[in-house]
Amino acid sequence: MRGLLPITAKNSGILACETCHKLIVCDTVSEKGATCPRCKRAIHVRKKDSLNRTWALLVAALVLYIPANLFPIMTLISFGRESRETILSGIYQLFLSDQWVIAIVVLLASVFVPIFKIAALAFLVISVQMGLTWRPVFRARLYRFVEWIGRWSMIDIFMISVLIALVKLKALATIEAGPGALAFAAVVILTMYASKTFDPRLMWDRLEGEIDE
Amino acid sequence: MRLACPECDLLHESMEITYGHSGYCQRCGAVLFRNHKNSLDKTLAFAITGLVFFLLANIFPILVFKMNGNTEANQLADGALEFLNSGYWPLGILVLFASVIAPLLVLCLLVSILLPLKYNRLPVIPELQIRTLLSLRPWAMAEIFVIGIMVAFVKLGDFAEVGIGGSLISIICMVLAMVLAFVFLDRRTLWQRLDQLK
Ligand SMILES: [Zn+2]
């Protein structure tokens, strides 16, 4: 590939619509404020302000990850006794009661996935900013995986929603949501948006720049 | 047929398109298209199936909780409503949207786009319908909701008696139908079909 510029839509003067994948030759549309003739959506050569937006969302997610783990996500009130549960203590409880499969699923979804997502996206953004040419196919796969796995962190939020609707027998047993759940849901949404604002094509643009020189 | 890879922007000058095959980007491996025979018909069939199960999922309880002679059962939207009642309204809106509204909208949009196409008619506002469908898809989290229900089931089983209600099976069927609908949906075929009719 060295020495030979790969033919991309961008260097052929073509805009590709993100929604319907239609190709539009740039001469026919002014590049700023162009809309796709087929699906009528605004099109850009690359996602707008991608790296800055991804950074901002990642930092916000990282900050909120702290209260998400410190505050209880729910409280069980049974026979006048209150027991607060955080994300980690909930997983610990599952291990204690020998529910290994479920415990590992929740551990993956609530602890590993958010941390992995934030770390992987930060790495991808930095790799673009530093103009890294290291293993682009691996990085493309990493991005695809991050995009796919992100939603699965919502398991805990749905679990809480089921428990609070089901366990409300007044003094006998009641489960209430805690502020940690709010912070955790925010982390999931922020990281979902962060992976959406990142433009994977930037990784390949840098690669072509390198070959150009 | 010229295609640009949505993930690395590489232009593919000519792609041979055969039924039952998918096209991948030569450079980054992204899926460019999935070609299934009668792709749109299959998606339509699964979307209608999904809608039927969605309706069934709203009739019965999901889980039944018994403790000291008291019984409590929950239905599809109860968790979201409980969040709203207890002051955690952002969580209420999020859960209601992700587990009820978005899956329902996605299925309705699929039917409203594909049913007219089947009879060679244009949908009412095709561009808006497809755009909304594609942007709603990541927020329709019925499959994750099912896992959440299972975790809740296991957790409760520790200190009380829990039973499975009829809705849980309906929700699982709805999830399967929705996943299959998207497996068969090929965006390119969809846009081409629209272009033909215009
Ligand atoms: Zn590609």
Side-chain angles (χ1 to χ4, degrees), chain B residues 92-105:
Chain B
I93 292 167
L94 175 66
V95 171
L96 190 68
F97 190 73
S99 64
V100 185
I101 296 173
L104 176 64
L105 273 178

Side-chain angles (χ1 to χ4, degrees), chain B residues 145-162:
Chain B
F145 185 53
V146 168
I147 308 291
I149 296 169
M150 289 180 177
V151 176
F153 176 78
V154 168
K155 270 183 109 70
L156 272 187
D158 263 2
F159 76 98
E161 198 185 319
V162 211

